[in-house]
Amino acid sequence: MTDITKPKSGSLVPPIQPPSEVSVPARPFTYPARILRPYLRGGEAAELIGVSIRTLEKYRCTGGGPPFLKVGSRVLYLREDVEAWLQRHRCRNTSDDNYVAALREMPSRRNRS
């Protein structure tokens, strides 16, 4: 068996200190560069609208969603278009024309098999 010797007091190896609590500041979820970018990716646009990515994909196929750009395999949304689309769907009450139109666009749940 080998004995583990402690370093001498004049040794070059510093003594091991117990780890102290290190507070790392939390990074914000949204970075300024992402906030200022004029184009949003699909997930970012879906998050801004408050729907899933799949719902946003469905809107692209069936219509009714915000305008989008297709660049290669990437789908981008202009931030202004998404915000304008949200404003067009704004309702004051359930008798509002926008609310009635939104109900008409929804597929009926009664006739599903």
Side-chain angles (χ1 to χ4, degrees), residues 38-70:
Y39 292 101
L40 303 171
R41 294 181 182 153
E44 296 166 343
E47 185 179 343
L48 182 63
I49 294 171
V51 298
S52 69
I53 296 173
R54 290 288 296 148
T55 300
L56 204 54
E57 290 171 357
K58 183 178 176 183
Y59 286 162
R60 284 198 304 268
C61 292
T62 61
F68 64 95
L69 297 155
K70 183 75 170 170

Side-chain angles (χ1 to χ4, degrees), residues 34-46 48-49 56 60 65-71 74-88:
R34 184 176 286 177
I35 293 171
L36 299 176
R37 236 181 24 214
Y39 292 101
L40 303 171
R41 294 181 182 153
E44 296 166 343
L48 182 63
I49 294 171
L56 204 54
R60 284 198 304 268
F68 64 95
L69 297 155
K70 183 75 170 170
V71 181
R74 179 164 287 166
V75 176
L76 299 173
Y77 294 87
L78 187 60
R79 181 181 294 276
E80 294 172 5
D81 289 344
V82 174
E83 290 173 354
W85 182 83
L86 284 170
Q87 288 300 319
R88 285 193 306 271

